[in-house]
Amino acid sequence: MPSTLPGRELVKEYLKKNDIKSTDLAKMYGMTKQEVSDYLSGRKSNPAANQFILKVIRDFKI
C-alpha cells in the first residue's frame, strides 16, 4: 500500500493555515476525533485512511 505521508502533510498544513480543527473535520465526515487523529498522524494506514485523506484533499481542493 502506498504511503499517505505526502497527502497527510498537505491536509495538516491546510488545516493549520485555515484554523480548522480535527474535531471540526471529524464532525464534517461523521467520524470520531480519534479516527481523524489516527489517520492524520499515520497511526492507521489502512485503505479507509487512504480514502479519507484523498476525500479531504478532493473536498477542500487542496
Side-chain angles (χ1 to χ4, degrees), residues 3 5-6 9 16-17 19 24 26 28-29 32 34 37-38 42 46 51 53 57 59:
S3 170
L5 180 62
E9 292 303 317
K16 186 175 180 179
K17 282 183 181 177
D19 196 31
D24 299 330
M28 291 172 67
Y29 289 97
T32 66
Q34 188 62 51
S37 176
D38 287 346
N46 55 23
Q51 287 185 332
I53 296 298
I57 289 171
D59 290 351

Side-chain angles (χ1 to χ4, degrees), residues 2-19:
S3 170
T4 59
L5 180 62
R8 286 187 285 119
E9 292 303 317
L10 281 173
V11 171
K12 289 193 290 188
E13 185 177 316
Y14 180 85
L15 296 177
K16 186 175 180 179
K17 282 183 181 177
N18 293 282
D19 196 31

Side-chain angles (χ1 to χ4, degrees), residues 34-53:
Q34 188 62 51
E35 283 177 304
V36 171
S37 176
D38 287 346
Y39 291 164
L40 291 178
S41 70
R43 280 189 296 271
K44 286 191 179 177
S45 57
N46 55 23
N50 291 351
Q51 287 185 332
F52 172 73
I53 296 298

